[in-house]
Amino acid sequence: MWNRILIMGLIFGCLAQINAQEPDNIFKASGTPANPKVNISWNRYYDHSGVTAILEKIAEAYPELTRLESMGKSFQGRDLWVLTVTDFSTANPEDKPAFYVDGNIHSNEIQGAEICMYTAWYLTESFADNDFIKELLTDKTFYIVPTINPDARDFYMHEANSMHTPRSGLIPLDDDRDGLINEDGYNDLNNDGHITMMRRKSAQGRYIEDPKDPRRMVMVEPDEQGTYEMLGFEGIDEDGDGQVNEDVEGFYDPNRDWAWNWQPNYIQRGAYKYPFSVPENRAVSDFVLTHPNIAGAQSYHNYGGMILRGPGAEEDKDTYNEADARVYDAIGKKGDKMMPGYRYMVVYADLYSVFGGELDWFYGGRGIYTFTNELFTNHMLYQQDYDDRGDAEADQYEFDRYLLFEDAFVPWEKYDHPQYGEIEIGGFRKNYTRANPGFLLEQDAHRNMAFTIYHAYHMPKLLVTDVTERKLGNNIREITATIANDRMIPTHSSQDVKYKIERPDYITLEGPEVVASMEVTDKDFNKTTENIFEPATVEVQNIPGMSAVTVRWLVKGNQRYNIVVDSNKGGK
């Protein structure tokens, strides 16, 4: 008995030591919160309930820095959470330049949600002891939306799926147009919780087992004989049309649903009924339209290690003019350095044409500088680039064997298929090849978060400088002020200026009676453009990045005055 008590005491003592988080026990690793209020494991993925719990914990721990609210409901009624992160004590969030971040628009592209939450966690946990983060949240606001497809996220995680499905949300659709909905989708034939591949031995097959790794199937040369044929992902021809898996869970592409250069499904596969016919996208649109302070945006997808900007389609290539392209290039090329293995690319030029994408609506429709990052890349496996797809695939198997200990692979096993006869089922699970392995998730999250913060840092920062006065006689003073923008992003993108998307910036002199006002277009030659509206308020179309504008008022008397700058995307 006493031995048992002694053993139990030792166990509880060890547990107490294991769970200790005393500051004296911790040696801070650079760039990481040492003793966070909210302890979260960043080496795993969370369903919608898990996402909700994490956001609630962050909001509860940091009420002075966060506000959690729902921007709307998904098709099945789940909340679309948005966490506002800023220093609420310095100004209203809406009076600061804001950065919008979302993830998981494609339901199988899950890690965007974790990277969004990591960003919120890092900002809040670092605020107290990191001067850069403190200044950032003093000046800026972040709107963080971890998932804009929560229904299908949960379906992807909790139901049998491949790494590629589902891509859309869960609105019921007849993909093969036979009048039936979802009647011929994937089947978890062997009830192991995964949708993997089917193969069958065949004298006419074009595949053999890789001699170096029999788990892997490789195609033979044209003059060689194979031993297997590949039959695709697990499935059965349930509707008797001779096809397998042609009517998977409601295929539409929520990233073809946005109101910029939208095209119907017969032109752009995946488009739904009309722009913003997907309720989750409509909620995002409504949020953005009611938050004109959003000056930068980031969406997270997978896979491939890409930093993407528009235009999505070649027909739209003239939308991004030279001035805006310079801003994009400066930020995107910095991302190349910050995220080894990632490449800064233009969608239509380096990939393919996309119509009705979120990326293009944010910039084309709202004038917001926006990137889409395709998360995770084969470069992360062995810190090397791959020119040959076959070499990359071979290393995926090797990586699984030596670093994941074959945890990502379902071994091939026999199965009696009702149409194909004796086959074998096996292959990678849905949580590999597109999604980061656990130990690589936090690194990818931090680098992408840092890229987002770099972009957010360069949203406008406006300062009133060089205020001068000159007496003109007859009790009239001339007051001249320079409004500087100390960051790279202007208060209005060229797209914004061209289409007058947002109102001009207002620079107001409060106090004395203003007789006249003007913008000084050339100080050296004293050229001005008169303000013909309210004399006290000069309307400025744009305050360029890393530059300034100069305004002037003629006032009566010697009253004291305030100069107030009010810019939707530059703050107040």
Side-chain angles (χ1 to χ4, degrees):
M1 176 179 177
W2 289 108
N3 286 340
R4 189 190 314 167
I5 293 173
L6 177 61
I7 291 170
M8 293 299 292
L10 289 171
I11 291 173
F12 285 123
C14 290
L15 287 174
Q17 289 179 338
I18 290 170
N19 292 328
Q21 291 290 321
E22 296 299 325
D24 291 344
N25 303 140
I26 296 168
F27 181 72
K28 177 178 168 59
S30 59
T32 301
N35 200 20
K37 288 184 182 179
V38 182
N39 281 301
I40 304 170
S41 295
W42 297 113
N43 59 357
R44 65 195 68 177
Y45 298 98
Y46 299 90
D47 67 5
H48 185 255
S49 294
V51 169
T52 300
I54 288 172
L55 295 177
E56 289 175 342
K57 287 177 182 177
I58 294 173
E60 182 180 356
Y62 293 98
E64 72 284 4
L65 298 176
T66 62
R67 182 177 67 211
L68 181 62
E69 56 192 330
S70 175
M71 67 162 63
K73 298 286 188 178
S74 68
F75 175 74
Q76 292 185 337
R78 292 177 175 84
D79 281 302
L80 301 172
W81 295 118
V82 53
L83 186 71
T84 300
V85 182
T86 190
D87 182 358
F88 282 83
S89 69
T90 53
N92 291 327
E94 293 77 17
D95 290 339
K96 303 178 184 182
F99 198 90
Y100 172 90
V101 193
D102 74 27
N104 197 204
I105 188 172
H106 291 138
S107 50
N108 62 324
E109 301 181 5
I110 55 175
Q111 62 265 59
E114 277 65 34
I115 292 179
C116 287
M117 292 190 294
Y118 180 88
T119 302
W121 175 84
Y122 191 91
L123 289 171
T124 52
E125 297 290 355
S126 302
F127 179 81
D129 60 2
N130 186 300
D131 291 340
F132 178 88
I133 300 299
K134 187 186 295 284
E135 180 183 349
L136 185 73
L137 294 186
T138 297
D139 294 342
K140 317 292 187 189
T141 295
F142 288 82
Y143 300 126
I144 298 175
V145 186
T147 173
I148 57 175
N149 196 348
D151 298 345
R153 178 184 181 85
D154 275 19
F155 182 86
Y156 170 81
M157 289 183 171
H158 295 302
E159 302 297 329
N161 278 290
S162 76
M163 69 279 291
H164 303 305
T165 59
R167 181 177 175 84
S168 60
L170 295 184
I171 298 174
L173 287 180
D174 175 18
D175 295 337
D176 56 359
R177 302 181 182 182
D178 64 356
L180 301 173
I181 295 175
N182 298 345
E183 88 289 358
D184 199 5
Y186 290 136
N187 301 96
D188 181 12
L189 298 177
N190 55 359
N191 296 313
D192 65 353
H194 308 286
I195 300 295
T196 51
M197 302 298 293
M198 300 184 294
R199 70 182 187 182
R200 178 173 62 181
K201 288 187 176 180
S202 170
Q204 288 75 46
R206 303 304 302 151
Y207 290 85
I208 60 171
E209 293 179 335
D210 185 345
K212 296 181 180 179
D213 189 338
R215 299 178 303 163
R216 179 186 178 221
M217 305 303 296
V218 294
M219 184 176 286
V220 296
E221 296 295 330
D223 60 346
E224 294 178 342
Q225 181 64 54
T227 54
Y228 282 93
E229 60 178 320
M230 301 304 298
L231 303 172
F233 287 103
E234 290 178 68
I236 298 173
D237 176 18
E238 296 180 288
D239 57 0
D241 65 354
Q243 299 182 71
V244 173
N245 299 336
E246 85 280 5
D247 198 16
V248 295
E249 290 292 338
F251 178 80
Y252 62 89
D253 191 332
N255 200 35
R256 307 293 185 265
D257 179 62
W258 300 77
W260 183 265
N261 209 357
W262 184 89
Q263 300 292 331
N265 185 65
Y266 69 88
I267 295 175
Q268 173 59 73
R269 185 170 186 263
Y272 196 33
K273 299 176 181 178
Y274 47 81
F276 297 128
S277 53
V278 176
E280 295 87 349
N281 293 353
R282 168 62 70 180
V284 173
S285 168
D286 291 345
F287 183 85
V288 173
L289 289 170
T290 55
H291 291 80
N293 58 325
I294 296 174
Q298 174 72 54
S299 64
Y300 289 119
H301 293 231
N302 77 34
Y303 150 86
M306 290 174 272
I307 306 164
L308 299 176
R309 74 156 172 92
E314 185 174 7
E315 293 88 333
D316 211 21
K317 63 184 178 182
D318 293 332
T319 303
Y320 290 66
N321 69 13
E322 186 177 352
D324 286 348
R326 283 199 299 269
V327 174
Y328 273 107
D329 289 348
I331 298 171
K333 289 174 182 177
K334 181 67 71 174
D336 278 342
K337 278 191 170 183
M338 298 172 75
M339 297 182 286
Y342 280 68
R343 294 160 294 155
Y344 168 53
M345 304 166 69
V346 176
V347 175
Y348 90 87
D350 297 307
L351 294 175
Y352 43 75
S353 281
V354 171
F355 299 98
E358 180 185 20
L359 175 68
D360 282 323
W361 178 78
F362 264 84
Y363 174 75
R366 303 310 308 156
I368 298 168
Y369 295 95
T370 306
F371 289 93
T372 289
N373 286 9
E374 297 284 353
L375 302 166
F376 190 51
T377 167
N378 284 325
H379 179 276
M380 297 179 71
L381 301 180
Y382 292 117
Q383 302 298 308
Q384 65 182 42
D385 293 321
Y386 294 92
D387 295 325
D388 182 85
R389 185 171 182 175
D391 291 342
E393 183 187 81
D395 272 0
Q396 288 176 344
Y397 282 82
E398 186 179 87
F399 184 88
D400 173 52
R401 168 166 289 175
Y402 294 117
L403 283 99
L404 306 181
F405 311 105
E406 300 191 14
D407 182 52
F409 194 87
V410 177
W412 295 100
E413 65 174 29
K414 291 182 180 180
Y415 180 80
D416 187 14
H417 193 281
Q419 279 103 26
Y420 293 136
E422 185 176 292
I423 65 170
E424 296 174 25
I425 298 173
F428 285 128
R429 294 180 170 91
K430 63 187 175 185
N431 63 355
Y432 186 55
T433 70
R434 294 185 72 108
N436 299 62
F439 78 98
L440 292 178
L441 179 58
E442 184 167 359
Q443 178 191 148
D444 213 13
H446 189 90
R447 289 184 183 275
N448 277 274
M449 177 271 298
F451 172 72
T452 290
I453 285 178
Y454 178 78
H455 183 176
Y457 171 82
H458 275 290
M459 293 188 301
K461 183 180 176 75
L462 305 182
L463 304 168
V464 180
T465 64
D466 300 330
V467 180
T468 62
E469 299 181 30
R470 187 163 65 101
K471 292 182 178 180
L472 302 181
N474 296 322
N475 201 30
I476 299 294
R477 278 186 299 164
E478 175 190 274
I479 300 172
T480 303
T482 297
I483 315 302
N485 181 359
D486 275 3
R487 298 292 186 265
M488 188 163 35
I489 294 176
T491 56
H492 296 76
S493 66
S494 298
Q495 178 75 351
D496 186 346
V497 172
K498 180 179 180 180
Y499 290 103
K500 296 180 171 57
I501 297 170
E502 298 293 354
R503 64 163 173 83
D505 302 322
Y506 299 148
I507 306 171
T508 302
L509 190 79
E510 296 180 341
E513 179 184 351
V514 179
V515 178
S517 61
M518 61 212 73
E519 181 177 353
V520 180
T521 55
D522 190 325
K523 287 193 286 187
D524 294 323
F525 295 95
N526 199 31
K527 291 183 179 180
T528 62
T529 301
E530 184 179 1
N531 175 46
I532 61 175
F533 299 105
E534 172 61 37
T537 299
V538 182
E539 293 188 2
V540 175
Q541 295 304 310
N542 189 31
I543 305 175
M546 306 303 290
S547 188
V549 298
T550 300
V551 295
R552 179 173 293 156
W553 299 269
L554 302 182
V555 304
K556 285 184 178 180
N558 294 308
Q559 278 184 278
R560 294 176 62 82
Y561 54 87
N562 293 320
I563 297 171
V564 178
V565 182
D566 182 357
S567 168
N568 272 348
K569 298 189 187 307
K572 290 185 181 179

